[in-house]
């Protein structure tokens, strides 16, 4: 269960940071910084006492101290994610690189080490023969977010819980984790879209790769009973198309491979 919880946290981290962004063959890269923040839910989902009990734990695992910033660099070689503070299983200064060949590594610059992230570590947490149920709806409503024209898109997700075969749950135990929210997507950056970012572990596995065909999410609000009475708000604070120095999508020379934290690697 601890392993699956870590995978779920990593999934939502990836969703918040890369749910609608990807990279393309353009000679420049798209680089942007997002602020992830837990706030009181404006329209809380129906409470669930079991999932709600995990709210504070999950919130602090995803957004330590209630806020974290993540910077993404997207290019034809892959995508690079950086955080301004440590997260569970991710030390201070950690860098995640998801490459065009589908492989993913997490780098610790302080220790000059890295480990491989299992590309199937998210999908394996769902029961055999099941997959998340996702619905999205374009509203036709546009707003200006950080200077970018963005369309509001609503979405709903139902993540099946990994219940072992032959196990009968007691009455009242949830069988899925519901999520819902809104995303304000800027079509201006749609030219950067490709299959690279959509294969990032944790994104396609929970179904939000569907939004990646629309553009860059300038703002996202994510609600779930697992957050308790809070919601996760993500806002792009800066975005630019720029050239990135060589070597930003590979493990630096001299770094040694180490085992991944339990439940986060292969």
């Amino acid at each position: 269960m601890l392993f699956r919880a870590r995978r779920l946290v990593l999934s939502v981290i990836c969703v918040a940071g890369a749910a609608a962004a990807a990279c393309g063959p353009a000679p420049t890269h798209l680089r942007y910084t997002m602020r992830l923040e837990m706030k009181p839910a404006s329209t809380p989902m129906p409470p669930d006492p079991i999932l709600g009990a995990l709210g504070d734990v999950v919130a602090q695992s995803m957004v330590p101290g209630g806020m974290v910033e993540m910077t993404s660099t997207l290019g034809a070689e892959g995508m690079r994610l950086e955080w301004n503070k440590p997260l569970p299983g991710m030390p201070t200064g950690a860098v995640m690189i998801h490459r065009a060949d589908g492989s993913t590594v997490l780098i610790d610059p302080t220790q000059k080490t890295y480990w491989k992230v299992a590309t199937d570590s998210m999908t394996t947490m769902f029961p055999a023969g099941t997959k998340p149920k996702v619905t999205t709806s374009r509203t036709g409503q546009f707003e200006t977010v950080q200077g970018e024209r963005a369309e509001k898109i609503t979405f709903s997700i139902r993540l099946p819980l990994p219940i072992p075969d032959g196990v009968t749950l007691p009455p009242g135990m949830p069988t899925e984790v519901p999520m819902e929210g809104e995303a304000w997507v800027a079509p201006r950056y749609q030219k950067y879209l490709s299959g690279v970012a959509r294969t990032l572990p944790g994104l396609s596995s929970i179904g939000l790769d569907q939004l990646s065909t629309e553009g860059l999410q300038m703002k996202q609000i994510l609600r779930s009973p697992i957050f308790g009475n809070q919601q996760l708000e993500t806002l792009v604070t800066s975005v630019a198309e720029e050239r990135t120095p060589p070597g930003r999508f590979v493990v630096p020379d001299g770094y040694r491979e180490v085992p991944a934290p339990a439940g986060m690697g292969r």
Side-chain angles (χ1 to χ4, degrees):
M1 181 62 74
L2 177 59
F3 293 174
R4 293 187 179 109
R6 286 177 174 172
R7 291 173 181 174
L8 178 59
V9 169
L10 182 58
S11 293
V12 181
I13 289 172
C14 292
V15 166
C23 55
T28 56
H29 297 94
L30 185 67
R31 179 178 174 86
Y32 63 95
T33 297
M34 308 185 89
R35 183 178 68 239
L36 289 72
E37 185 175 5
M38 283 293 183
K39 293 184 177 181
S42 54
T43 53
M45 296 186 68
D48 183 293
I50 305 298
L51 297 178
L54 301 174
D56 290 340
V57 175
V58 172
Q60 287 304 310
S61 296
M62 292 172 50
V63 190
M67 182 186 298
V68 67
E69 289 188 347
M70 183 173 72
T71 299
S72 302
T73 304
L74 312 174
E77 305 95 322
M79 61 188 306
R80 176 186 176 101
L81 308 177
E82 305 171 66
W83 293 265
N84 71 334
K85 62 172 63 175
L87 278 73
M90 300 183 185
T92 302
V95 176
M96 180 182 288
I97 296 177
H98 181 60
R99 295 177 289 215
D101 63 3
S103 62
T104 305
V105 295
L106 201 142
I107 300 172
D108 182 352
T110 302
Q111 300 297 321
K112 292 189 175 181
T113 58
Y114 72 95
W115 63 81
K116 297 175 182 177
V117 178
T119 55
D120 62 348
S121 62
M122 305 305 164
T123 56
T124 55
M125 70 182 178
F126 299 122
T130 65
K131 62 180 181 179
K133 300 176 182 178
V134 183
T135 58
T136 62
S137 177
R138 301 182 63 163
T139 65
Q141 303 172 11
F142 287 83
E143 298 180 21
T144 299
V145 182
Q146 300 296 91
E148 297 291 340
R149 186 172 185 267
E151 182 180 5
K152 180 180 179 180
I153 297 177
T154 62
F155 60 86
S156 174
I157 310 171
R158 294 294 184 270
L159 303 179
L161 288 174
I163 302 171
D165 293 337
V167 173
T168 301
L169 297 179
M173 285 292 291
T175 59
E176 62 180 15
V177 177
M179 295 182 176
E180 67 179 25
E182 299 85 42
W184 286 261
V185 179
R188 172 185 172 187
Y189 299 108
Q190 191 174 23
K191 65 182 180 181
Y192 283 91
L193 297 177
S194 77
V196 177
R198 294 198 294 274
T199 62
L200 181 70
L203 181 59
S204 58
S205 64
I206 68 174
L208 277 183
D209 54 325
Q210 296 180 24
L211 286 179
S212 65
T213 62
E214 306 295 338
L216 173 65
Q217 288 189 36
M218 298 299 298
K219 180 179 179 181
Q220 183 194 85
I221 296 177
L222 185 64
R223 295 179 291 272
S224 173
I226 204 168
F227 296 151
N229 61 354
Q230 301 183 89
Q231 64 186 26
L232 177 62
E233 296 190 14
T234 306
L235 178 68
V236 170
T237 57
S238 66
V239 58
E241 295 172 289
E242 59 185 32
R243 295 186 181 278
T244 301
R248 297 286 284 173
F249 300 96
V250 298
V251 177
D253 292 338
Y255 280 50
R256 61 185 176 86
E257 184 176 357
V258 298
M264 295 190 68
R266 57 187 175 93

